[in-house]
Amino acid sequence: MLHIKCPHCGLRSQNEFSYGGDASVKRPELNKEISDQDWDNYVYLRKSPRGKHLELWQHISGCRQWIKVERDTLTHEIFKTLKANEEV
Amino acid sequence: MQKYSVFSLVKNAFKGHKDWEVAWKDPTPKAEYDVIIIGGGGHGLATAYYLAKEHNITKVAIIEKGWIGGGNVGRNTTIIRSNYMHDENGLFSEFGMDLWRNMSLDLNFNVMFSPRGIINLAHSDAQMNAYSRRGNSMRLNGIDAVLLDREEVKKIIPMADFSENVRFPIFGGLMQPSAGTARHDAVAWGYARQADSMGVDIIQNCEVTGFNITNGKILGIRTSKGEIKAKKIGLCVAGSTNILAEKLNMTLPIETHLLQACVSEPIKPILDNVVTFGAGHFYCSQSDKGEMVMGGDLDGYNSYAQRGNLPTLQHVLTEGIAMFPFLSKLKMLRTWGGIMDMSMDGSPIIDKTHIEGLYLNCGWCYGGFKATPASGWTFAHTIAQDKPHTLNEGYSLKRFNTGHLIDEKGLGTKTWIS
């Protein structure tokens, strides 16, 4: 069981959260002309590292806020949690 | 190579089983190979076997970080099927079914292929319509499919919950009678033994630490046992694909996720098919030892841990009990977790890469085991001929860029979309 510290609500169990994937991925700027490769990078391509991974979670059965979690994908250790608009 | 038969068994029994040959050797790596396959799992071993058998390429090494058959081919839920709607998946998998049917004879190793049939349960009229469409597509591709109504399903699996007041009543199901199960580890041993006998070097406990690439052409690999040169290199490392991709400066449409499965204590024979729940993700069969073999959803977040968490197991088994209420009385014998190379459209990749001489086989998601022979066969073809076979043309790496996705169920890494 993962225990995730929601920056708004405090420490809660994994059951209250849903996963939103790699948080380092940035959507291309709106209305900007970009290549197919840029879309490919944004929509499909992921590093999926073994080790530290910055990811999005939503506290769906709590405050419903999206948050950032820095987690180890090998040990499941959680190093840090942030509000969605905060940078590491 | 010593042939396995009832006669060799009797002969060796009289000699106290002291004279059996080793099934495969433990060679030290040579300086150079024609082809190196990285990954000694089912797919890697099958690829090496078909390179030797179909293409006469025997100067081949399999490089395995741990021991062969120690990953997902060593622990899975053993289901073999080709009940796909899309042509790419259906034709590829049905080609694999033919290889499964002949595998025990072909490899001289009993893989205990048991074509016991798979039933996908439907729980609404809409789902029955979708299954009838899928069944028709399957039949057009020469795959057997039978649409069953509620009463027909009840005759086959009377122990399922057929009461009227359940949340997901059983409306019927889609059956592929020729689908089934096999003994998963035997597949690895069978391929390894045959590949070894044809001259393939199986090199275990040898980790790949880097690649030697010059002018966009692969020259060899760096390993914990030294540098090895090769003209062609194939990656068959499933959940570890992204780790090697990082060493190659490649980013792939793959995320590594955790999938759990479990078996119950052994009970008397009750279930002689594979059955899947249609209102969630749960599947179940009974092993020859009597254990109920069960699995379902991913844990749902990127992981290399090879061990899961209880919330997902609870979620999956809740669905199981909704389908087969008797499961609630059983004790769990063992659970395990493996890492899956989840592709973004839920379909695999067997293709060349932008690096000359480097070939990629990954993205098997939940369904790597059943694909073992067809994956090995087509990957061997792709490596030997330097171009994909028509069976795996659709499984290209470019399809994400061009939009030719094979979204069989719309299930990739983002299982919550379903």
Side-chain angles (χ1 to χ4, degrees):
Chain A
M1 176 84 82
L2 303 180
H3 290 101
I4 302 172
K5 191 180 164 195
C6 172
H8 307 281
C9 312
L11 198 66
R12 301 297 177 90
S13 90
Q14 139 190 12
N15 293 340
E16 296 188 12
F17 295 85
S18 76
Y19 183 64
D22 189 337
S24 66
V25 178
K26 289 267 181 289
R27 192 187 194 284
E29 230 174 275
L30 200 63
N31 297 331
K32 195 180 157 198
E33 203 54 44
I34 62 160
S35 67
D36 287 354
Q37 189 55 51
D38 290 335
W39 272 121
D40 200 19
N41 291 346
Y42 166 63
V43 179
Y44 297 118
L45 302 188
R46 295 292 180 269
K47 287 278 179 203
S48 192
R50 180 172 61 177
K52 261 191 192 176
H53 189 228
L54 188 69
E55 49 203 27
L56 291 168
W57 289 75
Q58 189 187 12
H59 195 186
I60 191 137
S61 304
C63 63
R64 302 189 65 82
Q65 295 293 313
W66 283 92
I67 61 167
K68 282 179 187 164
V69 177
E70 194 178 41
R71 188 178 60 92
D72 193 305
T73 58
L74 183 60
T75 64
H76 291 177
E77 182 185 354
I78 292 171
F79 304 105
K80 201 187 279 182
T81 55
L82 301 159
K83 292 176 186 168
N85 61 356
E86 288 176 335
E87 297 295 328
V88 183
Chain B
M1 187 184 61
Q2 206 170 17
K3 192 170 165 13
Y4 291 164
S5 69
V6 66
F7 304 109
S8 70
L9 187 64
V10 171
K11 199 175 111 195
N12 279 282
F14 279 116
K15 294 188 201 162
H17 292 297
K18 285 194 293 270
D19 293 339
W20 288 108
E21 285 174 17
V22 291
W24 52 86
K25 298 176 279 295
D26 191 17
T28 47
K30 298 188 183 89
E32 188 173 358
Y33 291 93
D34 289 339
V35 180
I36 289 177
I37 303 297
I38 304 173
H43 291 225
L45 293 163
T47 305
Y49 169 69
Y50 291 115
L51 275 172
K53 186 186 172 219
E54 303 286 339
H55 305 280
N56 219 8
I57 301 174
T58 54
K59 216 177 155 196
V60 177
I62 293 169
I63 307 290
E64 166 57 48
K65 182 186 167 191
W67 56 87
I68 58 165
N72 296 335
V73 74
R75 294 192 295 183
N76 62 62
T77 48
T78 77
I79 298 164
I80 292 158
R81 59 187 176 85
S82 60
N83 53 357
Y84 287 102
M85 188 172 81
H86 288 316
D87 291 347
E88 294 92 339
N89 290 334
L91 295 172
F92 177 88
S93 304
E94 187 57 18
F95 176 77
M97 293 301 291
D98 284 336
L99 294 175
W100 278 112
R101 287 186 266 268
N102 293 318
M103 192 183 286
S104 292
L105 277 176
D106 188 29
L107 298 181
N108 179 228
F109 205 105
N110 187 3
V111 300
M112 295 165 76
F113 177 56
S114 163
R116 56 182 68 186
I118 186 168
I119 302 169
N120 301 134
L121 293 180
H123 307 274
S124 67
D125 284 328
Q127 206 167 14
M128 282 300 281
N129 287 342
Y131 280 176
S132 102
R133 181 179 175 220
R134 174 145 65 97
N136 285 334
S137 296
M138 287 165 61
R139 294 172 76 126
L140 285 171
N141 281 333
I143 304 162
D144 55 330
V146 185
L147 196 66
L148 305 170
D149 64 23
R150 182 178 160 93
E151 288 310 309
E152 288 166 322
V153 174
K154 199 171 179 177
K155 271 191 209 132
I156 303 174
I157 47 166
M159 66 300 219
D161 194 345
F162 283 94
S163 46
E164 301 289 338
N165 59 349
V166 290
R167 184 168 172 202
F168 300 111
I170 294 169
F171 275 56
L174 181 65
M175 184 170 188
Q176 185 192 0
S178 68
T181 60
R183 194 185 128 204
H184 50 87
D185 54 328
V187 176
W189 314 146
Y191 276 125
R193 180 167 157 266
Q194 289 292 345
D196 177 88
S197 78
M198 289 188 281
V200 172
D201 280 356
I202 298 174
I203 297 158
Q204 306 181 73
N205 299 307
C206 180
E207 183 176 0
V208 174
T209 53
F211 294 84
N212 293 332
I213 300 165
T214 307
N215 298 329
K217 191 177 181 329
I218 200 95
L219 300 176
I221 53 171
R222 296 191 293 275
T223 75
S224 54
K225 293 188 177 179
E227 295 202 6
I228 309 171
K229 284 188 204 152
K231 295 181 192 78
K232 294 178 176 181
I233 291 174
L235 259 54
C236 274
V237 294
S240 301
T241 300
N242 284 302
I243 301 171
L244 289 186
E246 197 189 339
K247 295 184 202 300
L248 288 158
N249 279 326
M250 285 169 76
T251 311
L252 297 172
I254 301 278
E255 276 184 10
T256 298
H257 280 252
L258 189 56
L259 180 66
Q260 297 189 75
C262 52
V263 295
S264 75
E265 60 184 325
I267 53 172
K268 286 187 177 177
I270 179 165
L271 180 65
D272 54 4
N273 310 97
V274 182
V275 184
T276 74
F277 185 55
H281 194 179
F282 173 83
Y283 50 86
C284 185
S285 64
Q286 188 170 21
S287 75
D288 293 340
K289 289 178 280 185
E291 304 149 333
M292 305 305 290
V293 186
M294 299 169 281
D297 275 322
L298 296 176
D299 270 39
Y301 43 83
N302 294 44
S303 176
Y304 287 87
Q306 292 183 289
R307 62 176 188 281
N309 278 325
L310 280 175
T312 306
L313 269 187
Q314 189 180 22
H315 167 78
V316 166
L317 292 174
T318 304
E319 292 173 8
I321 290 164
M323 186 170 92
F324 288 145
F326 77 92
L327 293 177
S328 70
K329 307 274 190 239
L330 300 184
K331 290 184 185 71
M332 205 57 73
L333 189 67
R334 135 178 122 247
T335 77
W336 67 93
I339 54 173
M340 307 292 128
D341 36 337
M342 301 301 294
S343 70
M344 292 293 164
D345 61 355
S347 299
I349 296 161
I350 306 176
D351 203 0
K352 298 163 68 170
T353 64
H354 69 281
I355 299 166
E356 195 187 330
L358 184 78
Y359 304 84
L360 188 62
N361 179 335
C362 63
W364 292 100
C365 299
Y366 306 89
F369 176 67
K370 68 165 184 298
T372 305
S375 162
W377 196 95
T378 54
F379 196 40
H381 184 280
T382 306
I383 294 171
Q385 310 288 327
D386 195 37
K387 61 167 193 269
H389 190 268
T390 43
L391 285 167
N392 65 308
E393 255 175 352
Y395 294 158
S396 78
L397 184 55
K398 283 197 298 286
R399 71 177 186 269
F400 299 92
N401 195 308
T402 59
H404 294 88
L405 302 188
I406 310 170
D407 49 348
E408 184 75 33
K409 275 186 88 182
L411 283 182
T413 60
K414 296 177 176 57
T415 47
W416 42 265
I417 285 175
S418 69

